[in-house]
Amino acid sequence: MNARHANPDPCILVIFGASGDLTHRKLIPALYELSRGNGGRARLPERLAILGVSRTPMSDDQFRDKLRGSAKAHAAGFDEASWSAFARCIHYHAGDAASPESYPALADRLARLGAEHRLAMPTGGANLLFYLSVSPNLYVPIIGSLGESGLIAEGKRWCSIDPSATPWQRIIVEKPFGTDLGSAQSLNMALGRVFEEDAIYRIDHYLGKELVQNILVMRFANSIFEPIWNRSSIDHVQVTAAETLGVGSRAANFYDTAGAMRDMVQSHLLEVLALVAIEPPSVFDADASHREKIKLFNSARSIEPASAHESAVFGRYARGKPDEPAYVEEAGVDPARRTETYCAMRVEFDNWRWAGVPFYLRSGKRLAKKLTEVVVQFRRPPVNLFREVDGVGEMGANRLIINIAPTEGLELHVLGKVPGAGLRIDAANLNLDYIDRFGGEKVEAYGPLILDAMRGDRSLYKHRDQIEGTWRICQPLLESATLRERIEDYATGSWGPRGAEALLARDGRAWHNPA
Ligand code: BG6
């Protein structure tokens, strides 16, 4: 059976980094939402245990208590009865996951949990899904310790008479996946020494967003888009992820050494772009779509570090209201690093479909609106039939907007005759709001993504070559001293630095900045 249709397998989800922010704000609330049925048909496996691992000593009940507060604060909906039912599968184990000495006790705990929740497989223990929700400097030590622990026996599984009766071990790896091409390659190698590629789940919560998933459905379940989805009809594409909040307390431990390029563009936006730009996969499965994405990233026109400032712009937010410090005033920021809180870039693909069509990506903090969208700007008609009609003049062109967040839907801008005497032409919107049309509650993307890992479906996860492909595109920008020297301050609540406007203006284009 195609993994997409399988039920999630019973397993133990082992979360390394149980006391961390991600576990509390996203992972547990997302899983709890699924247990309440918010995900529609996406349901947790009937037999499941969740084991949080961190260094702080704590009992199962103490851990559950802490998580209860997090679920209450962050899940869509909360009630005591469903929480108590869900919390029964949650457990806690104190240990240092980066140290091989901790693993005999962990293995012992896993064996006991397997028995308690009736999770043991006919030949061996329970299926194990490890989740690396820890600081990235712990990834390699944890992967290495897992390798030495004897818990990973994936190779033996494929040699067994009935692999489906033998437990699997999989690992979900959070972003940031490396800090540049070299470190991403090293991390891929460390993972490859312990896990098979198809047991490695490199997560990107953007790929779990409904409207991001819908891009392929829109393109390939309809026949009207594909014939015009190319350089003949499309002028350019914009992908925007704008946020209104600043970096705040994340500056010290993470953001100041990462910046918007690594935090958003390499990790999320290029992946969204790929769904807009790939060729149709031969089948709807993980391998086929990974192949197309890798092919696309490999066709990106190389940017030279020496001229990277012609293809990109970096900015950082200036001081806003009294409680909104400039980025350089945030605690833990070293202004000399010139870290960008805004990045815009232009990418081109040298392939038959897209030659000459620029893709513009931008993301920033403290901008005018919280908004994630893709804008596909079509060309104008080859001839303006109405050019001599009084008052018509130069006409606009069609535009398709894929609203990813906060609204979810599609908007198609079409030109029409304004009712009344004479001929006046104006743009109007055909609007499809997904929640209005299809109903259902919004579900935190992490939940369905974790279920995919439990059913062995990597379609919404990233292949190693895909990650390395996106780093290859971004690497010259990271290496450009000029780009960093020219970093511009931008006003809080604006749409970013002036240079970003100029980047498009040079090509005779402008950003789509919704009012
Ligand atoms: C994370 C970034 O991956 O995505 C954050 O590290 C960013 O800096 C967040 O705020 C945005 O996600 P979303 O789903 O709110 O658009």
Side-chain angles (χ1 to χ4, degrees):
M1 191 193 293
N2 184 324
R4 273 181 183 277
H5 308 297
N7 289 324
D9 290 335
C11 61
I12 305 180
L13 170 64
V14 184
I15 305 179
F16 293 123
S19 354
D21 196 48
L22 183 73
T23 306
H24 284 258
R25 275 193 317 116
K26 299 283 186 184
L27 305 184
I28 293 296
L31 294 165
Y32 168 60
E33 282 174 9
L34 292 180
S35 78
R36 298 179 82 229
N38 291 21
R41 285 187 301 143
R43 290 290 168 91
L44 293 175
E46 267 173 33
R47 281 173 296 128
L48 170 73
I50 300 173
L51 181 65
V53 180
S54 266
R55 281 188 300 190
T56 325
M58 218 181 326
S59 68
D60 284 1
D61 281 338
Q62 285 169 320
F63 185 49
R64 289 173 185 148
D65 255 13
K66 288 190 176 211
L67 294 177
R68 181 179 163 279
S70 312
K72 216 168 170 181
H74 301 291
F78 181 89
D79 65 273
E80 292 298 344
S82 64
W83 171 258
S84 308
F86 172 64
R88 281 200 284 275
C89 77
I90 300 179
H91 302 269
Y92 183 80
H93 179 81
D96 176 4
S99 149
E101 289 84 65
S102 310
Y103 280 74
L106 178 61
D108 193 47
R109 184 76 199 271
L110 290 171
R112 281 186 282 123
L113 276 184
E116 184 183 329
H117 289 268
R118 294 182 298 111
L119 287 163
M121 299 287 287
T123 58
N127 294 318
L128 300 177
L129 176 58
F130 298 101
Y131 198 121
L132 290 188
S133 169
V134 291
S135 159
N137 61 335
L138 297 176
Y139 289 178
V140 171
I142 294 180
I143 295 162
S145 304
L146 275 170
E148 286 175 36
S149 71
L151 284 167
I152 316 301
E154 191 67 10
K156 286 191 205 126
R157 182 164 180 255
W158 295 113
C159 303
S160 60
I161 293 170
D162 178 5
S164 67
T166 312
W168 48 250
Q169 300 88 39
R170 298 176 185 150
I171 185 162
I172 301 182
V173 189
E174 257 303 327
K175 70 175 272 268
F177 196 97
T179 53
D180 58 10
L181 179 59
S183 55
Q185 285 169 326
S186 309
L187 180 52
N188 274 330
M189 278 191 275
L191 281 163
R193 280 194 280 271
V194 178
F195 292 91
E196 302 288 326
E197 175 62 24
D198 62 10
I200 303 170
Y201 290 73
R202 300 172 187 84
I203 197 165
D204 177 345
H205 78 283
Y206 266 57
L207 295 181
K209 290 181 189 264
E210 275 297 335
L211 261 286
V212 171
Q213 293 187 53
N214 188 57
I215 296 175
L216 286 191
V217 178
M218 185 199 79
R219 286 186 60 196
F220 302 126
N222 297 292
S223 60
I224 58 172
F225 294 112
E226 206 41 28
I228 55 169
W229 211 255
N230 54 47
R231 62 194 304 273
S232 311
S233 306
I234 293 180
D235 178 73
H236 73 277
V237 176
Q238 301 181 10
V239 184
T240 296
E243 297 183 83
T244 49
L245 295 181
V247 176
S249 60
R250 287 175 84 213
N253 290 333
F254 164 66
Y255 200 90
D256 203 42
T257 51
M261 175 93 214
R262 292 182 172 96
D263 186 39
M264 293 295 291
V265 178
Q266 178 275 330
S267 50
H268 301 312
L269 297 199
L270 281 164
E271 293 294 331
V272 174
L273 177 158
L275 295 167
V276 177
I278 54 169
E279 294 302 315
S282 51
V283 283
F284 189 45
D285 72 9
D287 289 348
S289 64
H290 287 161
R291 269 197 299 275
E292 294 307 329
K293 289 178 184 173
I294 293 163
K295 221 166 78 189
L296 177 83
F297 292 139
N298 289 345
S299 73
R301 180 173 300 175
S302 332
I303 299 173
E304 289 303 318
S307 54
H309 55 281
E310 292 165 15
S311 303
V313 172
F314 283 177
R316 58 187 172 186
Y317 54 80
R319 174 183 273 277
K321 297 196 193 101
D323 58 340
E324 293 175 334
Y327 177 68
V328 291
E329 296 163 344
E330 301 273 20
V333 169
D334 175 0
R337 280 204 192 103
R338 305 176 85 80
T339 299
E340 78 288 2
T341 59
Y342 176 100
C343 168
M345 79 179 287
R346 178 188 205 275
V347 192
E348 283 190 69
F349 297 98
D350 286 329
N351 60 30
W352 278 61
R353 187 189 285 263
W354 296 119
V357 178
F359 287 74
Y360 302 101
L361 311 172
R362 64 173 169 168
S363 181
K365 304 279 185 197
R366 285 255 201 95
L367 296 180
K369 248 185 136 164
K370 169 83 180 156
L371 165 93
T372 308
E373 66 171 23
V374 177
V375 175
V376 180
Q377 180 65 58
F378 290 92
R379 292 187 190 284
R380 292 202 168 94
V383 172
N384 179 356
L385 177 65
F386 311 103
R387 64 190 176 281
E388 282 167 14
V389 177
D390 260 2
V392 172
E394 184 86 353
M395 290 193 309
N398 299 116
R399 176 193 288 158
L400 176 70
I401 302 179
I402 305 170
N403 292 313
I404 297 169
T407 50
E408 297 182 317
L410 300 178
E411 265 176 57
L412 181 63
H413 291 226
V414 290
L415 294 149
K417 178 183 175 301
V418 179
L423 183 64
R424 264 204 321 121
I425 295 179
D426 204 354
N429 278 354
L430 297 180
N431 243 329
L432 172 58
D433 182 308
Y434 264 61
I435 299 288
D436 274 1
R437 170 61 190 84
F438 296 109
E441 287 186 64
K442 285 191 187 175
V443 180
E444 171 53 60
Y446 277 95
L449 285 173
I450 295 172
L451 287 190
D452 281 354
M454 292 176 180
R455 63 164 71 87
D457 180 2
R458 291 163 69 232
S459 314
L460 300 178
Y461 287 84
K462 305 183 198 182
H463 187 276
R464 70 182 282 168
D465 296 343
Q466 199 176 323
I467 293 239
E468 292 179 15
T470 53
W471 275 119
R472 235 172 243 118
I473 295 174
C474 296
Q475 188 71 23
L477 277 62
L478 296 172
E479 286 171 10
S480 164
T482 317
L483 192 51
R484 212 159 280 291
E485 269 158 29
R486 293 189 185 174
I487 189 166
E488 275 178 62
D489 287 339
Y490 59 90
T492 286
S494 71
W495 280 103
R498 281 211 208 103
E501 297 301 325
L503 181 73
L504 268 70
R506 279 202 295 277
D507 296 347
R509 301 185 174 102
W511 291 106
H512 176 247
N513 292 338

